[in-house]
Amino acid sequence: MLNIFIIFAPLLLYPHLLKLRNKPRVQRFLVFVLYAGALVATMSFPIQLDGATYDFRSIPLTVGALYGGWPVSIMLYATLLAIRYYSGAPHILLYCLSLLPTFLLAFLAVRRFGELRLVPKIAVAVALCTLIKLVAFIIYFSGIGQLRTFAFHFWETAQTYLLQGVIVALCVYLIESLDRHQQIQEELIRGEKMKIVGDMAASVAHEIRNPLTTVRGFIQLLATVPLTETKKAEYKNLCLEELNRAERIISDYLSLAKPDPEQIETIDLNEELDYLSNVLLTYANYNDIQIRVHASRESGLTATGDRSKFRQALVNIGKNAIEAMENGGTLELRTDKRSDGPAIVVSDSGVGMTAEQIKRLGTPYYSTKTKGTGLGTMVSFSIIKKMNGRIRIKSDVGRGTEFAIVFPERSWSEERQSG
């Protein structure tokens, strides 16, 4: 049992060795260190059976050689001979001669071992481990004229051969299982990275599409509808603002690792309501949606945060509301002074959502739209939360949805100063 524990001990650290595939020299050196230690330990604790001495040195020698390659094989054989020499064992030259054929066998096995499947690998490992012990014993005992001793203890010897075959087969199976598990993990990580890249690309496209859709709508209005000079100037300014917003969105994604500091300012919710209605106007007209705007005359309808990002969140929520009304409808935008703070409300007469859909809304990659990524809504929720706001959602399936974005009476910066 002690020898078996010694042999299986390197497997505890083997998963860490698998992570060093990109550093083959370091990996081979560590394989040598582990199996050289197992080799020394097994030779230090031999087994006595009916007067004959046995040990399991061939197992770490075999496994280390097969999984470390020919450089490790050479070093393990050199370690074996060094231990034999310094232990004062007799006939060292004869022992070297008896190991030479087994080294050639190991060298041939190592060349093709990595290309084999699991079962052939187990078969090769068992055969090599058996041949190393058998060939070395026959040559060595023949050289010292004690081949009868080998034959006399045939049953005890056969038992050790059978046991070491089972052990080396189990070792190979466990190593291959660990290797396969590591490969699956790496594939999952690669797949997850590709998914993140795809989701990020979809998120960028989603965020950029909002201002571009607005710009396209106003350009169409400028080209097809007779407008006053005041309206033309207003639409041109809105187009420029939306293009600037698209540029800022791109900059935000490019600087995720080192985000720029936000421009915290006091935001008038009525002004943002007017901005939102103008931005959504062409998109709403294109989808046969009427927009109704109700600005409250209450005082203190303000919030604190980054105006650009707040507009990004509002446009995302407004566009989602329009897209929820597939057959036309009414989009209502209003500000309100509630008991817990000022609010800006976006409500639609669309398809509505179930309680389960509302619960999952704003989580990564969840969307009620078939072609949606959910990242736009997630970003919007994150922006509102960062402004210390709360989003309250009311919805009835088939009747519509209301998004109420409520901000505290006191700004976030004032709370920090008083704290």
Side-chain angles (χ1 to χ4, degrees):
M1 293 300 295
L2 178 60
N3 275 263
I4 292 173
F5 172 77
I6 291 169
I7 291 167
F8 282 108
L11 298 183
L12 297 175
L13 298 175
Y14 206 81
H16 300 285
L17 298 182
L18 295 174
K19 297 178 181 178
L20 298 173
R21 286 195 180 97
N22 58 338
K23 299 178 180 179
R25 292 184 178 179
V26 176
Q27 187 184 51
R28 287 173 182 170
F29 174 75
L30 292 177
V31 169
F32 163 71
V33 170
L34 289 176
Y35 285 100
L39 182 65
V40 173
T42 52
M43 293 179 68
S44 302
F45 300 98
I47 302 170
Q48 300 291 332
L49 291 176
D50 295 333
T53 302
Y54 301 92
D55 60 53
F56 288 154
R57 70 183 71 176
S58 58
I59 298 177
L61 185 63
T62 300
V63 176
L66 292 176
Y67 285 97
W70 64 266
V72 176
S73 302
I74 295 174
M75 290 189 292
L76 287 176
Y77 269 89
T79 302
L80 175 59
L81 293 174
I83 296 169
R84 177 91 178 183
Y85 175 77
Y86 285 109
S87 65
H91 314 294
I92 185 65
L93 292 178
L94 179 60
Y95 188 71
C96 291
L97 181 64
S98 66
L99 284 181
L100 182 60
T102 69
F103 175 75
L104 296 176
L105 290 173
F107 182 76
L108 293 174
V110 166
R111 293 182 60 185
R112 300 295 302 275
F113 185 76
E115 303 172 3
L116 301 176
R117 294 183 177 273
L118 176 61
V119 174
K121 280 185 175 181
I122 292 175
V124 168
V126 172
L128 180 61
C129 185
T130 303
L131 288 173
I132 286 176
K133 195 166 190 175
L134 183 63
V135 172
F137 269 21
I138 290 175
I139 294 175
Y140 182 78
F141 281 112
S142 296
I144 62 175
Q146 295 184 8
L147 191 59
R148 289 185 177 181
T149 304
F150 179 75
F152 180 76
H153 296 283
F154 176 78
W155 175 240
E156 291 80 5
T157 304
Q159 285 181 316
T160 62
Y161 276 67
L162 180 62
L163 181 58
Q164 79 173 15
V166 172
I167 295 172
V168 75
L170 187 57
C171 280
V172 172
Y173 175 79
L174 292 175
I175 290 174
E176 291 297 317
S177 297
L178 291 171
D179 190 22
R180 186 166 60 253
H181 178 71
Q182 181 68 24
Q183 289 178 2
I184 291 172
Q185 280 190 323
E186 291 175 356
E187 289 176 4
L188 287 174
I189 292 172
R190 283 195 296 269
E192 194 65 29
K193 287 181 179 179
M194 292 302 297
K195 184 177 183 298
I196 290 172
V197 170
D199 290 334
M200 184 63 72
S203 176
V204 173
H206 176 81
E207 296 293 338
I208 296 299
R209 190 180 292 117
N210 286 342
L212 293 183
T213 301
T214 303
V215 171
R216 183 178 63 179
F218 282 119
I219 290 175
Q220 289 173 345
L221 282 176
L222 289 169
T224 59
V225 180
L227 300 170
T228 64
E229 290 300 322
T230 303
K231 279 292 182 182
K232 286 182 180 179
E234 181 182 350
Y235 289 170
K236 287 178 182 177
N237 289 333
L238 284 169
C239 287
L240 289 174
E241 285 185 21
E242 288 301 293
L243 289 174
N244 289 334
R245 188 162 70 87
E247 184 180 359
R248 285 193 295 269
I249 290 170
I250 294 172
S251 299
D252 286 342
Y253 277 100
L254 291 176
S255 60
L256 281 175
K258 297 180 180 179
D260 295 329
E262 294 184 333
Q263 297 180 356
I264 305 300
E265 56 185 308
T266 300
I267 301 170
D268 188 310
L269 297 186
N270 280 333
E271 289 182 6
E272 299 310 308
L273 189 73
D274 186 56
Y275 172 84
L276 178 62
S277 64
N278 286 327
V279 168
L280 296 177
L281 179 61
T282 55
Y283 193 56
N285 290 336
Y286 180 79
N287 289 275
D288 195 24
I289 305 295
Q290 291 184 349
I291 297 180
R292 294 178 182 174
V293 181
H294 302 282
S296 174
R297 295 183 180 181
E298 294 279 350
S299 61
L301 293 173
T302 59
T304 302
D306 189 307
R307 185 187 301 275
S308 174
K309 292 184 178 180
F310 181 51
R311 287 182 173 181
Q312 177 185 346
L314 287 180
V315 171
N316 274 334
I317 294 172
K319 273 201 67 179
N320 288 338
I322 291 174
E323 291 167 359
M325 297 179 281
E326 298 176 352
N327 301 316
T330 301
L331 177 67
E332 185 176 350
L333 308 174
R334 68 179 189 271
T335 52
D336 191 12
K337 189 67 176 291
R338 301 192 172 190
S339 59
D340 51 350
I344 185 166
V345 181
V346 178
S347 61
D348 63 70
S349 57
V351 295
M353 293 182 291
T354 64
E356 181 62 27
Q357 288 175 321
I358 293 175
K359 185 178 180 181
R360 295 185 62 188
L361 203 63
T363 57
Y365 315 125
Y366 174 76
S367 175
T368 57
K369 297 179 290 186
T370 55
K371 295 183 180 179
T373 63
L375 292 173
T377 305
M378 184 189 71
V379 170
S380 300
F381 280 35
S382 176
I383 291 170
I384 301 302
K385 184 178 180 181
K386 204 167 186 180
M387 295 174 63
N388 208 23
R390 299 181 300 279
I391 299 179
R392 294 177 178 173
I393 305 172
K394 296 179 182 178
S395 185
D396 292 322
V397 177
R399 299 184 63 180
T401 304
E402 177 185 282
F403 282 81
I405 305 170
V406 185
F407 294 97
E409 288 284 356
R410 301 179 66 191
S411 68
W412 176 76
S413 57
E414 289 173 341
E415 288 181 0
R416 287 199 64 182
Q417 289 173 3
S418 62

